[in-house]
Amino acid sequence: MVESKHKWKAWIYLSPAIVLLLIFTVWPIINTVRMSLLEGYNSMAAVGGATYDFGFGNFKQVLEYNYFLRCLGNTMLLCVLTVPISTILALLIAVCLNAIKPLQRLLQTIFFLPYVTNSIAIGLVFAAMFNMVGSAFGGENEIIITAGIINNVIEFFGGHAINWINSGSSYAANVVVMVVYIVWNALPFKILILLGGLQSINRQYYDAARVDGTSRRRVFTRITVPLLSPMLAYVVITGFIGGFKEYSSIVGIFGEDMGPAGAPGRLNTMVGFIYDSLSTQQGRASAAALILFGIIFVVTMINLYVSKKKTHY
Amino acid sequence: MKVVLQNLTKIFPGRNKKVREEVIAVNDFTFEIPDGKLIGLLGPSGCGKSTTLYMISGLQKPTAGKIFFGDDDVTELSAENRGVGLVFQNYALYPHMTVKQNILFPLQNLRGADKLSKEEMLERAENAARLVQIDTLMDRKPSELSGGQQQRVAIARALVKMPKVLLLDEPLSNLDARLRLQTREEIRRIQKETGITTIFVTHDQEEAMSISDMIVVMKEGVIQQIGRPQDVYDDPTNLFVAKFLGTPPINVFEGRVEGGRLFVGADAVLDVPGVADQAVTVGIRPEGFVPDENGPLVCALNSVEVMGRDVSVVSTHPAAQVPAIRSIINTDGGLPTGAEVRYSLKPRKVLLFSKADESRIRFEVK
Amino acid sequence: MSANNHVTMHERDMRRVSSQQTVGKIVSKVLVYAFLILMAVIVIFPFYWMLISSVKSISEYRLSVPTLFPREILLTNYIDAFQQANLGKLFLNTLYVGLVSTLLSLVITVLSAFAFARLEFKGKNALFAALLGTMMIPGELFTITNYATVNSFGWINSFKVLIIPFLVSVFYIYLLRQNFMQIPNELYLAAKVDGTGDLKYLWKVMIPLALPTLISITILKMMGAWNSYVWPRLVANDKQYQLITNGLRNAFTDSTGDVNIPVQMAAVAIVSFPLFLVFIFLRKYIMKGVSRSGIKG
């Protein structure tokens, strides 16, 4: 048939993709494994003729390195906090959106809006909203205490202003800001997927449940959630993968110092750690990248295993 | 429990916002369904039969009119408080639950005084499953069942809470031909055993005729005729009902009545005493043709199809509205051969309809 | 209890039940709307705050009781922002990188997807599976080596370093291949019989049919250029080649003193505006692409 004559053609069509993939995808995979196994590898020095011992030294060093553990801890903390919060919130919003008719499209559009934003740019807005320090730029009768709408609101309700992100702020306050920002960023995608899932559930299941006098609560827990479980699993898995790769949202709020003034690196993450060591200590960066890959792989597998058990139908 | 529908009307607002055209799905439906009977709502798609069923279930609210279960007005009551069992066309079995969980589900919804103990629930679920003969499949998921088995599970789920009324929406449409025959007998048996007033919707006249105590023929939201299946078949009130019931369908001819005799084409084919002179539409049931060498109706013979006991003769006639006339004859008199076939007609199988409004014109049969 | 009595009780019961239903329904509708509107306000508030802050004077911005509607609209902030962050140059750079990389990427993606969807060759399935496998690996793992690679190529601070390494997206190839597969093979065979060449067939039949997917890819790719931050920061810090996000982040963090937040917000608004425009006009394609990808940008 047609195929035999054109075998070589396929490779011509594929050649640009294959060449680029070999250079920028395949080689990096091999090279990362190689570098991670050469103890203390540095590519600049390697070009200069330095040699390195083969072994797991990089992994050992990284895992014993307090700063790496802190980055790992930050990443995990943000993951564990933001994934459940954003998933539950997105589920609630999606269920409510699915239950209304007037305003549905408008609200749907609003909820999707954060998706099309630049996380660095909007990070600056959040930073401004959580800001605290103000200085004497006001007019004559204008008293300047704080300059950040969040603190203004807190004070309006009689609370005390909190130092969220500025110099001298607490780790807990920093984490709260990050969780708010990451959840805000994560909602649109999750709502989109879950709402799509809800809309594809056959209405007859709900009619059947109604005829049988099922309470709203039971409809939600026994019908909606189980039938939505494939989408929930998808959203949770992608949420965890995204969470372990968290980086630019922190840059958005705290800048490249990855922490408030006076405490740089306090909120650094795995990815941040990799970027920090990328140009000087490639052995260490490679080991960290492989550890990140391992964690993502394991988490994905666990999620798939659990969701397979729960969504089997 | 008898079910009374009083002037039931359902109007859907038009889809097209500019034109604001309303669709009257069900128009002034009044009917009393006697207790413990099996009723078939029959009509072509879009005739409002499903809407009527959903209004009885409470899933849709009527625009006007009332619904009574026994003496209770349930019009304002929503579905969950009506105590009906509903079997959906696609069964709507919960795909993530086993057969047992599906059947138990309605029972677990009961609260307050009606609440059942675990043992009672299980017992009732098992009874329902036995009734529809799926008690050996209790731990399967719906995806592991055949269409017929899913259908039974859906019926068991509807029956388990002992509904006052059982509603079935196109119960057989998703089954293959063989299963359909078997399942409709099954539905009949279950209905007889439980004695629950049962209403089902179908577009298949054979299905409705074969198992219903009564059928309701609908067209464009309006009831055409209500009665026992055989009565409706033998004595339809209008051309629509006559055409809709019967396989093969009734053969329709142009005709006229002159001096108490019915003419089809140039031939006087039957005496129709008491009918005024007028042009009419003539319907002749396939079994109304009797091959007769001296018969008045002369048709051009097309083909003869032998189907075992009966023989189906396909012929044409210039006055026929249909391209082929199909008659069912018995083979006692040998098979018709040659270029033409002559028939005499059985008077009870010949139906006359007004040209003006397609209503039935009755005549005396000697 | 007489039968009569029973009936009346029953009726009263039913009336009570049905009125409870109506009240319950209204209450829950109100709660649902209240929740949704509250959440919508929270979601949209940062945008609102960005907009109103961007037109406030610095003194108004710093009031202890903030104004929810600006007293005067100071559009000069936008001019300041444009100049301070050198947004004009950044816009052009980003547009250039976005357009060139989208175009080249589309060509590569279409050719590869066509090969995987329509042509038969040895090892096709194995190769495709291997490609899909690479999607599991976090991009950061590639960055380490790619940084060294582009360094050794001498590409640092150039446009090609921003374009070439990301031209091939396995995900887009996958997406388009799935789309191509839905086009009946008979069309291709018929074209062969008629003597239509592959490329002509691709151009005349497959591309028009797969247009929605191609539009989705284009939008996501452009948005990717607009939002990319990490890689450009590594390899193109020179003002000559900087992209918009980096420029924005750096323009207001270089100085150690006070940041003029209204001007900063004006810059953010300028950067966000094209994204909103794209979103408003091409919402359908974005949502379609996104719901299948699960990857941001």
Side-chain angles (χ1 to χ4, degrees):
Chain A
M1 284 238 333
V2 210
E3 292 84 5
S4 59
K5 208 175 108 192
H6 296 287
K7 258 177 191 162
W8 53 272
K9 245 186 189 170
W11 294 104
I12 290 187
Y13 292 151
L14 283 172
S15 56
I18 288 178
V19 168
L20 286 169
L21 282 170
L22 281 176
I23 299 172
F24 294 108
T25 302
V26 177
W27 164 239
I29 296 173
I30 300 165
N31 193 37
T32 304
V33 175
R34 183 183 74 97
M35 291 189 299
S36 73
L37 293 173
L38 293 173
E39 293 183 8
Y41 183 84
N42 175 316
S43 65
M44 285 299 205
V47 171
T51 55
Y52 300 94
D53 290 337
F54 184 82
F56 289 94
N58 288 325
F59 290 95
K60 194 160 168 280
Q61 194 200 348
V62 163
L63 288 173
E64 284 170 353
Y65 185 33
N66 270 335
Y67 186 56
F68 176 78
L69 295 179
R70 147 155 257 166
C71 293
L72 181 63
N74 284 336
T75 310
M76 286 193 164
L77 181 67
L78 289 178
C79 251
V80 165
L81 289 174
T82 58
V83 173
I85 293 175
S86 61
T87 306
I88 290 169
L89 213 50
L91 180 63
L92 278 176
I93 292 172
V95 167
C96 287
L97 272 178
N98 195 38
I100 64 168
K101 265 221 176 93
L103 295 182
Q104 194 199 36
R105 273 180 67 87
L106 174 72
L107 287 168
Q108 210 183 328
T109 308
I110 291 177
F111 285 121
F112 194 68
L113 219 49
Y115 189 86
V116 289
T117 56
N118 184 315
S119 61
I120 302 276
I122 301 298
L124 294 174
V125 179
F126 271 76
M129 285 166 57
F130 281 98
N131 202 0
M132 178 157 178
V133 205
S135 48
F137 269 102
E140 254 174 62
N141 297 318
E142 292 169 339
I143 310 154
I144 300 145
I145 303 166
T146 62
I149 180 71
I150 302 288
N151 275 331
N152 290 144
V153 169
I154 290 173
E155 287 182 336
F156 179 79
F157 287 107
H160 285 288
I162 295 169
N163 185 351
W164 295 105
I165 54 169
N166 299 104
S167 172
S169 57
S170 69
Y171 178 69
N174 297 163
V175 169
V176 168
V177 175
M178 284 322 304
V179 167
V180 169
Y181 185 44
I182 293 170
V183 167
W184 183 87
N185 247 319
L187 278 180
F189 173 69
K190 292 190 164 78
I191 293 173
L192 181 74
I193 297 292
L194 294 178
L195 187 61
L198 285 171
Q199 283 167 345
S200 67
I201 295 178
N202 192 336
R203 287 236 38 99
Q204 284 201 337
Y205 295 132
Y206 293 108
D207 283 343
R210 247 185 87 193
V211 171
D212 292 340
T214 318
S215 65
R216 273 160 184 274
R217 232 184 99 100
R218 238 171 93 77
V219 169
F220 183 72
T221 55
R222 293 292 307 274
I223 296 172
T224 305
V225 170
L227 289 177
L228 201 59
S229 53
M231 279 60 160
L232 279 170
Y234 178 60
V235 156
V236 168
I237 291 175
T238 52
F240 267 109
I241 293 176
F244 274 104
K245 291 161 66 165
E246 205 57 72
Y247 175 67
S248 58
S249 56
I250 295 160
V251 176
I253 294 202
F254 289 100
E256 278 159 19
D257 284 346
M258 301 298 277
R266 186 203 262 176
L267 289 162
N268 206 356
T269 60
M270 304 262 290
V271 170
F273 180 87
I274 294 170
Y275 286 138
D276 288 347
S277 22
L278 178 115
S279 48
T280 52
Q281 293 181 286
Q282 286 89 353
R284 185 205 269 179
S286 298
L290 285 173
I291 291 170
L292 174 64
F293 172 57
I295 292 174
I296 289 177
F297 188 79
V298 168
V299 168
T300 307
M301 288 301 135
I302 291 172
N303 267 319
L304 280 177
Y305 178 75
V306 172
S307 60
K308 210 167 200 174
K309 273 199 140 178
K310 292 250 161 140
T311 64
H312 178 75
Y313 67 80
Chain B
M1 176 86 43
K2 75 175 179 190
V3 175
V4 182
L5 309 178
Q6 226 173 56
N7 307 104
L8 204 59
T9 300
K10 177 75 182 181
I11 298 173
F12 290 111
R15 290 265 171 82
N16 190 336
K17 277 183 185 163
K18 282 177 201 156
V19 186
R20 285 246 167 247
E21 205 176 349
E22 289 177 334
V23 179
I24 304 176
V26 177
N27 196 350
D28 204 16
F29 194 121
T30 299
F31 178 40
E32 180 172 329
I33 297 163
D35 183 23
K37 295 291 186 198
L38 180 60
I39 306 296
L41 291 182
L42 178 62
S45 61
C47 73
K49 54 192 191 301
S50 288
T51 308
T52 307
L53 194 80
Y54 284 124
M55 284 194 286
I56 298 172
S57 76
L59 286 175
Q60 287 183 0
K61 268 202 176 339
T63 314
K66 286 191 179 306
I67 301 168
F68 295 87
F69 284 3
D71 294 318
D72 302 325
D73 181 353
V74 297
T75 318
E76 290 300 315
L77 219 53
S78 67
E80 53 268 36
N81 298 311
R82 285 197 189 180
V84 296
L86 178 56
V87 176
F88 290 86
Q89 187 171 1
N90 302 318
Y91 317 137
L93 296 177
Y94 306 120
H96 56 291
M97 299 184 196
T98 62
V99 169
K100 190 197 277 176
Q101 288 167 329
N102 262 291
I103 300 175
L104 281 172
F105 194 80
L107 297 179
Q108 290 162 343
N109 290 330
L110 300 174
R111 287 284 170 268
D114 300 328
K115 198 167 162 46
L116 299 173
S117 72
K118 269 217 162 102
E119 293 71 34
E120 285 171 308
M121 285 195 219
L122 266 180
E123 199 190 319
R124 275 174 65 173
E126 269 159 21
N127 285 340
R130 253 195 305 279
L131 184 68
V132 298
Q133 298 169 346
I134 45 152
D135 42 328
T136 54
L137 307 172
M138 293 295 256
D139 293 319
R140 302 246 190 116
K141 291 268 173 75
S143 57
E144 299 162 339
L145 301 177
S146 70
Q149 288 167 334
Q150 290 184 21
Q151 163 78 280
R152 286 155 191 259
V153 177
I155 294 176
R157 188 178 66 181
L159 286 174
V160 73
K161 52 179 186 176
M162 302 180 180
K164 300 171 192 155
V165 180
L166 178 64
L167 306 169
L168 304 145
D169 187 6
E170 297 272 6
L172 307 175
S173 66
N174 282 341
L175 303 177
D176 62 42
R178 194 181 53 80
L179 258 177
R180 214 176 279 188
L181 278 176
Q182 191 188 335
T183 310
R184 73 186 194 201
E185 298 311 320
E186 196 78 349
I187 290 174
R188 185 63 183 154
R189 176 184 66 79
I190 293 163
Q191 195 271 332
K192 278 250 161 69
E193 275 183 47
T194 57
I196 294 175
T197 309
T198 302
I199 305 166
F200 78 103
V201 152
T202 179
H203 63 273
D204 181 345
Q205 51 93 20
E206 205 183 327
E207 200 174 299
M209 305 258 301
S210 58
I211 59 171
S212 312
D213 292 315
M214 281 177 105
I215 57 173
V216 179
V217 183
M218 295 179 70
K219 177 196 175 191
E220 288 164 8
V222 181
I223 298 180
Q224 304 294 307
Q225 192 167 3
I226 299 174
R228 297 206 345 257
Q230 196 60 46
D231 295 346
V232 177
Y233 179 80
D234 289 338
D235 192 13
T237 54
N238 59 34
L239 183 59
F240 172 81
V241 176
K243 274 179 166 171
F244 197 73
L245 296 187
T247 40
I250 196 163
N251 300 289
V252 186
F253 297 82
E254 300 289 344
R256 64 187 193 284
V257 177
E258 271 175 41
R261 299 175 77 194
L262 171 68
F263 287 80
V264 171
D267 310 312
V269 294
L270 196 69
D271 287 342
V272 286
V275 180
D277 290 0
Q278 60 185 301
V280 291
T281 305
V282 185
I284 307 172
R285 292 282 181 203
E287 66 273 24
F289 297 89
V290 181
D292 179 351
E293 281 170 30
N294 305 312
L297 186 67
V298 185
C299 299
L301 182 64
N302 262 11
S303 62
V304 178
E305 294 165 9
V306 182
M307 306 180 299
R309 188 169 48 87
D310 292 324
V311 169
S312 162
V313 177
V314 182
S315 55
T316 55
H317 188 281
Q321 284 182 4
V322 284
I325 303 159
R326 215 167 249 284
S327 58
I328 307 261
I329 59 173
N330 63 40
T331 51
D332 297 348
L335 298 176
T337 49
E340 60 173 43
V341 56
R342 298 180 77 106
Y343 295 114
S344 59
L345 303 174
K346 294 180 188 167
R348 283 182 199 284
K349 297 293 180 184
V350 178
L351 311 168
L352 303 188
F353 302 95
S354 150
K355 275 271 175 200
D357 59 2
E358 302 195 336
S359 65
R360 178 80 181 281
I361 302 167
R362 292 191 165 78
F363 58 88
E364 285 170 45
V365 178
K366 280 166 281 179
Chain C
M1 197 195 291
S2 74
N4 204 3
N5 203 346
H6 177 79
V7 168
T8 42
M9 263 197 62
H10 206 102
E11 260 182 21
R12 206 175 49 230
D13 239 29
M14 288 192 169
R15 224 169 284 140
R16 187 171 49 82
V17 169
S18 77
S19 73
Q20 269 177 357
Q21 276 166 16
T22 353
V23 172
K25 256 184 201 154
I26 291 170
V27 167
S28 72
K29 268 271 132 71
V30 168
L31 284 178
V32 162
Y33 272 102
F35 170 71
L36 283 176
I37 289 170
L38 176 73
M39 289 311 295
V41 166
I42 292 175
V43 161
I44 214 168
F45 186 78
F47 299 117
Y48 177 70
W49 193 245
M50 167 186 84
L51 278 180
I52 58 159
S53 303
S54 72
V55 293
K56 284 179 179 177
S57 66
I58 186 101
S59 58
E60 184 184 351
Y61 179 78
R62 293 192 160 165
L63 289 181
S64 63
V65 178
T67 48
L68 275 177
F69 301 99
R71 286 176 198 165
E72 52 168 340
I73 292 178
L74 212 67
L75 287 174
T76 48
N77 285 342
Y78 280 80
I79 297 165
D80 290 349
F82 218 85
Q83 286 164 348
Q84 193 177 334
N86 196 15
L87 287 179
K89 174 74 182 155
L90 294 172
F91 258 112
L92 287 179
N93 283 352
T94 311
L95 208 61
Y96 177 77
V97 168
L99 282 176
V100 173
S101 60
T102 302
L103 242 146
L104 292 176
S105 177
L106 278 178
V107 171
I108 293 173
T109 306
V110 166
L111 288 177
S112 314
F114 178 71
F116 279 121
R118 277 291 167 269
L119 301 177
E120 288 301 327
F121 57 94
K122 224 181 219 161
K124 178 166 101 164
N125 292 332
L127 183 62
F128 193 64
L131 284 192
L132 290 186
T134 63
M135 292 210 310
M136 274 211 56
I137 300 168
E140 292 70 25
L141 197 146
F142 305 130
T143 310
I144 306 165
T145 302
N146 286 344
Y147 178 68
T149 305
V150 297
N151 234 329
S152 68
F153 288 174
W155 285 2
I156 297 291
N157 282 326
S158 66
F159 281 127
K160 53 180 178 265
V161 77
L162 294 172
I163 295 170
I164 295 174
F166 300 104
L167 281 182
V168 185
S169 157
V170 172
F171 173 67
Y172 295 153
I173 294 177
Y174 168 77
L175 208 61
L176 196 60
R177 171 191 176 261
Q178 299 306 93
N179 206 314
F180 279 172
M181 298 275 270
Q182 288 165 0
I183 300 168
N185 201 23
E186 286 74 18
L187 283 181
Y188 179 57
L189 297 178
K192 286 271 125 187
V193 172
D194 296 342
T196 314
D198 273 0
L199 287 179
K200 192 171 172 203
Y201 172 74
L202 196 58
W203 183 246
K204 291 273 183 201
V205 179
M206 293 192 86
I207 287 180
L209 285 173
L211 202 59
T213 305
L214 292 173
I215 294 175
S216 292
I217 292 175
T218 305
I219 297 167
L220 291 179
K221 190 87 192 160
M222 288 298 284
M223 279 172 59
W226 202 258
N227 291 336
S228 70
Y229 173 74
V230 173
W231 179 253
R233 185 190 68 127
L234 279 175
V235 297
N237 263 321
D238 192 311
K239 285 258 185 302
Q240 186 72 23
Y241 302 103
Q242 221 169 32
L243 296 189
I244 193 117
T245 308
N246 304 78
L248 180 70
R249 179 73 244 186
N250 296 335
F252 299 96
T253 46
D254 285 349
S255 55
T256 46
D258 278 310
V259 175
N260 185 332
I261 288 183
V263 172
Q264 189 189 29
M265 290 300 107
V268 171
I270 294 169
V271 171
S272 303
F273 191 63
L275 289 171
F276 288 137
L277 275 189
V278 167
F279 176 65
I280 288 164
F281 290 110
L282 301 167
R283 181 162 159 270
K284 196 179 79 187
Y285 295 105
I286 299 178
M287 287 192 165
K288 206 190 270 164
V290 167
S291 59
R292 280 185 292 188
S293 73
I295 303 156
K296 176 147 185 168

